[in-house]
């Protein structure tokens, strides 16, 4: 266990320690039955007072994550309600492996089957298009005609930076979105997730300050936390990231990187105003800091207003722009175009060479014909129409059935709605009951906060289920929320698993 | 610039510092004209004596990597002979980016176009099959028939661990190689490069000790160096890694990880004997350490002796086995099956979730039909026949033309020959003249050593060029070597670029 305590951080030390140990237990990296270091050895190795350790262990015990066995030590022992996790066999031959320390700190998702794409119930948690909406057949057919004429092209190692023809296609595609770039400034990554991870591995390490929106995309939180970064958060309102608060943070601290989703923000759906965009760029410039602009789904829009990406305004190479194609043409290809310039780009390409020698040629070449075709334009038009009906349906059912005190965003694009329940509502209990009693999974808002979470939000995705299924789910959820609001206080908070 | 000095390392501090700065300059991460920190600031930030810094800067200057401008400071200034590198425009708008520190330390390959797959001359450097040898047409055709019947399967997010049907296919494939495993112990990565990188990011950090063979696969060296590991090396002889020397290293130091290529070792072609395999496993067991077994091309064999992988003997989960398919069916898919067990596997899957959420479904599904077919067996038989002719041709021409004092290995498998020149020969000068005057690129042996390189080896690949081209190249190379041996001393050593 490599615990990193940043004594210069504004986050209290006991909180940093609690966070890191609980992250490891909740995400399953520390196993049931695993022994924690003694108070003395933990205090010595971290040069912290023993009382701090005692306090944190007590807190972990109070929250049902560890248990003290008198005279034997302190062990991971979770009081979860979902008992379907596999027990480790303590007599297993791989027991020695527990002594191998690692550099992971948080990777929450994989361990919760109800939040995965493979969830068998009603899935409102995964922000992905249903496969029935996707142009897979057309993509494959066109890919095959292209590739069977160019067999040699598949038989060679492609450039680390990505296939040249794909990068040219991507540059043209981005030009249509207002970003003037060229193939030589594009680096192809395996989805936006790898893009963010590549940036973090190249530029972010222990003690570096990363600014994220609160709430934000949980996959990005996991990455920066696993690099040992100190994460500061800035709230989001209807105009996007609160640049006034960002400015005052930057007065005190020197952030190295700002991560933002300016268009149809995940999970709130808000878009950054033009004024805020200008301020954000000015702040980055003044502080010599990088910005990651994650643009998962700006093509999915229900509005006639066309907004250009932040990157279109970037003349000094502050922004690393990520255009993943997974959310718009399907997740089976894992292709993302990253746009960057100068030595930042050079260093990212060098890191990509170490990481995996470059993206597979097959996936890049496979989507070229479709991206270049007129069929893509028609497909997006039809997709937006279909999704706008689903969004409207979800909102209509919410409006008619949600108890007083429940509010939600009405996104102008993207595939999720952010629902806010009355303060002091416990979303994790709702999640548990929703999955256990109704087979409905959603994203508990708690996982979208890098630091102190708010417990009264949930994210609902409307692109995976059809209109009838959406109606059934929202009706059930509204009944469940009403029921829990009426019996508030009867449910003790449960740890999120 | 994040320089990591490990004061407890057995590698002298000045050498660690020289290595890290020169790696960055040679790989282009530090740009021409970039200013180095002053002696004083470097000595303060690293808490080293100023004299150590002076000594290292002097050495860098002697080797033509930096230049001191009186009263102005010390700057990167390379005295390279190849002048075709792009000069940075110092008035460029991205100049501010140089102030952004990073966590890279070495990524040498991308910056040398003569060592890349895109090299336009005679390529003896890239260890890859020529595209004309590959079954690309058949793979694509079978992939298309499979996929058009299963469109939905491509439209969903696959498991982070990899597509289940691919993992089942891989488990069966590995069973035929003697490894008894199942889909649940396989993690699919984007090539072996990502496999090694994933392991390094999960388990290796600054100060951790990694043991590598000397020489070894350069891509793996880059990965461990970029994690800040202390690398110790063990020589290879005709029986593979010298386990006697490994044992005495392990008596002194506690390695966390051993990286080995036991079958048809890259670059020497040697295979590990059964006796050494048993010893290696016993040493790993005794020291609680992990082994990466990289198996790029054991299917390519010219011998009737069948040896099982090391992994087939591993009952305690010490070995993380990597079977990349890039070297045997082509590099366009980037699919590698990693086999591991227990908490090591769990943690690697968690890290993979952060890294890129899982390998693309398209590439995994595309190669299933071919891997399962009888055509794969026939293809390998034909491939081995073709390659054995090429190997024999290369050796025949070497035998007839190489000057006295030049020796080479005769590999029983794989696609490379390791050539040894007389001691004190300067391989980097040979490389420069070979590329510049004869359009022939090979791999200079120097890049295959993690620590002190030997300067008198080169690696020649015989799977990329046809027999006639191989003959032309070997004839030219032999003439050039003879010429340089006769005029030895007239060429001053040049920095490898």
């Amino acid at each position: 266990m490599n615990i990193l305590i940043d004594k210069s951080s504004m986050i209290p030390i006991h909180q940093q320690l609690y966070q890191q140990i609980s992250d490891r237990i909740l995400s399953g990296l520390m196993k049931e039955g695993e022994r924690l270091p003694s108070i003395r050895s933990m205090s010595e190795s971290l040069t912290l007072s023993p009382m701090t350790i005692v306090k944190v262990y007590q807190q972990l015990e109070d929250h049902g994550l560890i248990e003290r066995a008198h005279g034997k030590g302190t062990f991971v022992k979770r009081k979860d309600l979902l008992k379907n996790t596999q027990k480790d066999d303590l007599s297993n031959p791989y027991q020695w492996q527990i002594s191998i320390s690692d550099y992971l700190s948080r990777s929450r998702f994989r361990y919760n089957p109800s939040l995965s794409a493979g969830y068998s119930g009603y899935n409102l948690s995964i922000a992905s298009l249903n496969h029935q909406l996707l142009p897979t057949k057309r993509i494959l057919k066109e890919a095959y005609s292209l590739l069977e004429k160019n067999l040699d092209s598949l038989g060679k190692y492609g450039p680390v930076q990505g296939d040249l023809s794909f990068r040219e296609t991507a540059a043209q595609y981005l030009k249509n979105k207002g970003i003037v770039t060229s193939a030589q400034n594009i680096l192809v990554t395996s989805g936006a997730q790898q893009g963010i991870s590549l940036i973090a591995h190249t530029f972010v390490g222990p003690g570096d300050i990363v600014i994220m929106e609160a709430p934000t995309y949980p996959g990005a939180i996991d990455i920066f936390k696993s690099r040992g970064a100190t994460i500061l958060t800035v709230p989001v309102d209807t105009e996007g990231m609160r640049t006034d608060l960002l400015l005052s943070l930057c007065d005190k601290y020197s952030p190295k990187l700002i991560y933002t989703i300016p268009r149809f923000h995940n999970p709130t759906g808000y878009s950054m105003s033009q004024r805020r965009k200008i301020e954000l760029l000015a702040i980055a410039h003044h502080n010599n800091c990088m910005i990651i602009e994650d643009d998962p789904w700006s093509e999915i829009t229900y509005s006639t207003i066309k907004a250009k990406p932040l990157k279109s305004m970037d003349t000094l190479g502050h922004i690393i722009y990520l255009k993943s194609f997974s959310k718009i043409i399907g997740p089976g290809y894992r292709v993302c175009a990253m746009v960057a310039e100068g030595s930042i780009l050079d260093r990212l390409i060098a890191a990509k060479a170490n990481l995996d020698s470059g993206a597979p040629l097959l996936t890049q070449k496979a989507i070229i014909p479709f991206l270049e075709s007129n069929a893509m334009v028609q497909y997006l038009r039809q997709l937006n129409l279909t999704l706008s009906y689903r969004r409207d349906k979800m909102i209509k059912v919410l409006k008619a059935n949600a108890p007083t005190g429940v509010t939600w965003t009405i996104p102008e694009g993207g595939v999720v709605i952010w629902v806010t329940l009355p303060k002091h509502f416990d979303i994790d209990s709702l999640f548990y009951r929703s999955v256990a009693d109704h087979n409905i999974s959603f994203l508990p808002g708690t996982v979208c906060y890098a630091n102190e979470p708010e417990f009264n939000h949930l994210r609902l995705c409307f692109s995976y289920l059809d209109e009838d299924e959406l109606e059934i789910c929202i009706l059930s959820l509204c009944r469940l929320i009403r029921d829990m609001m009426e019996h508030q206080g009867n449910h003790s908070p449960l740890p999120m698993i």
Side-chain angles (χ1 to χ4, degrees), chain A:
Chain A
M1 187 157 52
N2 283 284
I3 291 194
L4 296 163
I5 298 296
D6 181 0
K7 293 189 182 172
S8 63
S9 166
M10 76 298 319
I11 302 170
I13 285 171
H14 69 90
Q15 200 174 318
Q16 292 182 49
L17 186 58
Y18 175 82
Q19 185 84 45
Q20 292 192 46
I21 301 178
S22 67
D23 275 349
R24 297 184 134 253
I25 296 175
L26 289 171
S27 69
L29 292 169
M30 286 186 74
K31 299 278 177 212
E32 189 75 5
E34 193 171 332
R35 188 186 183 141
L36 278 81
S38 69
I39 304 282
R40 178 187 300 268
S41 77
M42 187 75 116
S43 113
E44 278 169 6
S45 70
L46 299 174
T47 59
L48 296 178
S49 115
M51 272 319 293
T52 306
I53 317 290
V54 168
K55 188 172 158 187
V56 169
Y57 278 20
Q58 184 59 51
Q59 207 180 352
L60 288 163
E61 198 173 3
D62 293 347
H63 290 174
L65 297 172
I66 63 172
E67 197 172 75
R68 273 177 284 190
H70 201 69
K72 287 183 180 164
T74 308
F75 300 86
V76 175
K77 191 160 177 86
R78 295 177 54 182
K79 291 199 182 126
D80 289 340
L81 288 184
L82 288 180
K83 287 291 183 200
N84 58 357
T85 51
Q86 289 170 344
K87 286 261 173 277
D88 270 2
D89 178 7
L90 289 179
S91 70
N92 88 64
Y94 314 129
Q95 197 61 18
W96 70 272
Q97 296 182 343
I98 286 181
S99 70
I100 305 271
S101 64
D102 64 54
Y103 295 84
L104 283 164
S105 72
R106 173 177 143 143
S107 181
R108 177 162 288 183
F109 283 92
R110 157 178 143 63
Y111 292 95
N112 192 336
S114 317
L115 290 177
S116 81
Y119 177 61
S120 59
Y122 292 110
N123 198 333
L124 294 173
S125 71
I126 185 162
S128 167
L129 300 180
N130 191 292
H131 58 88
Q132 289 168 347
L133 300 175
L134 295 174
T136 312
K137 187 170 183 177
R138 180 154 199 151
I139 290 178
L140 276 186
K141 202 175 154 199
E142 293 182 354
Y144 186 64
S145 334
L146 172 78
L147 288 169
E148 69 171 348
K149 287 183 225 114
N150 298 277
L151 291 175
D152 292 354
S153 67
L154 255 194
K156 298 174 179 175
Y157 273 94
V160 167
Q161 194 171 350
D163 179 55
L164 182 61
S165 12
F166 175 75
R167 284 184 283 130
E168 282 165 353
T169 302
Q172 183 58 44
Y173 181 90
L174 294 175
K175 203 173 155 193
N176 296 338
K177 294 177 77 70
I179 298 174
V180 181
T181 188
S182 67
Q184 77 180 73
N185 285 314
I186 292 176
L187 167 59
V188 184
T189 64
S190 190
Q193 185 76 14
Q194 195 194 44
I196 303 165
S197 167
L198 187 69
I199 297 164
H201 280 113
T202 309
F203 294 112
V204 178
D208 285 333
I209 292 175
V210 172
I211 292 185
M212 304 187 83
E213 289 154 341
T216 188
Y217 165 56
I221 302 175
D222 284 358
I223 293 171
F224 295 121
K225 285 211 168 181
S226 75
R227 292 293 298 161
T230 299
I231 301 179
L232 306 179
T233 57
V234 175
V236 169
D237 67 16
T238 54
E239 279 190 68
M241 184 191 276
R242 287 276 305 271
T243 39
D244 54 332
L245 298 177
L246 173 66
L247 188 61
S248 57
L249 271 186
C250 290
D251 274 351
K252 275 201 204 156
Y253 311 103
S254 287
K256 191 161 186 185
L257 183 68
I258 301 169
Y259 172 82
T260 178
I261 309 163
R263 187 75 174 150
F264 311 137
H265 175 259
N266 181 1
T268 65
Y270 296 134
S271 290
M272 195 178 279
S273 66
Q274 187 64 14
R275 184 175 61 89
R276 293 258 177 99
K277 285 183 185 170
I278 293 168
E279 288 171 1
L280 173 57
L281 269 175
I283 293 170
H285 181 52
H286 184 73
N287 291 278
N288 267 358
C289 92
M290 296 179 281
I291 297 174
I292 300 181
E293 177 180 21
D294 193 354
D295 180 9
W297 48 39
S298 60
E299 290 84 347
I300 298 176
T301 171
Y302 320 118
S303 153
T304 51
I305 300 165
K306 286 216 166 189
K308 287 184 181 174
L310 198 53
K311 182 68 186 170
S312 67
M313 302 158 62
D314 175 37
T315 51
L316 297 169
H318 282 279
I319 297 180
I320 307 173
Y321 172 84
L322 295 173
K323 175 69 244 164
S324 166
F325 293 97
S326 303
K327 300 287 185 203
I328 50 176
I329 62 168
Y333 319 96
R334 310 290 302 128
V335 173
C336 168
M338 172 192 278
V339 185
E341 295 83 19
S343 88
I344 286 181
L345 175 67
D346 286 347
R347 289 183 274 178
L348 288 168
I349 296 171
K352 175 78 177 165
N354 284 352
L355 190 66
D356 65 6
S357 315
L361 286 177
L362 178 59
T363 50
Q364 300 175 72
K365 291 195 178 286
I367 62 173
I368 292 176
F370 186 72
L371 287 186
E372 286 185 340
S373 70
N374 197 39
M376 171 80 175
V377 182
Q378 287 164 10
Y379 157 72
L380 282 177
R381 199 174 300 141
Q382 181 56 46
L383 178 69
N384 286 339
L385 210 59
T386 310
L387 292 178
S388 72
Y389 290 139
R390 295 193 183 181
R391 177 196 69 159
D392 294 348
K393 179 73 173 202
M394 191 182 253
I395 288 171
K396 192 177 144 201
V397 184
L398 271 173
K399 217 163 176 173
N401 298 280
T404 319
V406 177
T407 58
W408 51 86
T409 57
I410 300 180
E412 292 294 316
V415 300
V416 298
I417 287 176
W418 183 244
V419 178
T420 301
L421 306 176
K423 285 254 173 216
H424 312 302
F425 199 94
D426 180 49
I427 203 68
D428 293 338
S429 304
L430 177 67
F431 178 73
Y432 167 67
R433 287 190 56 185
S434 172
V435 169
D437 302 342
H438 301 272
N439 274 318
I440 299 172
S441 159
F442 56 80
L443 194 75
T446 39
V447 300
C448 299
Y449 293 86
N451 297 328
E452 285 301 285
E454 295 181 9
F455 289 93
N456 60 327
H457 303 279
L458 58 156
R459 191 191 77 177
L460 301 175
C461 169
F462 54 85
S463 59
Y464 201 70
L465 303 181
D466 67 25
E467 288 180 49
D468 291 342
E469 292 167 324
L470 288 175
E471 179 160 12
I472 296 171
C473 291
I474 299 301
L475 282 173
S476 297
L477 269 180
C478 286
R479 263 197 303 270
L480 187 56
I481 294 169
R482 185 183 306 276
D483 178 57
M484 286 181 66
M485 282 167 71
E486 284 166 5
H487 299 86
Q488 220 172 12
N490 293 353
H491 298 281
S492 58
L494 301 170
M496 223 307 276
I497 59 119

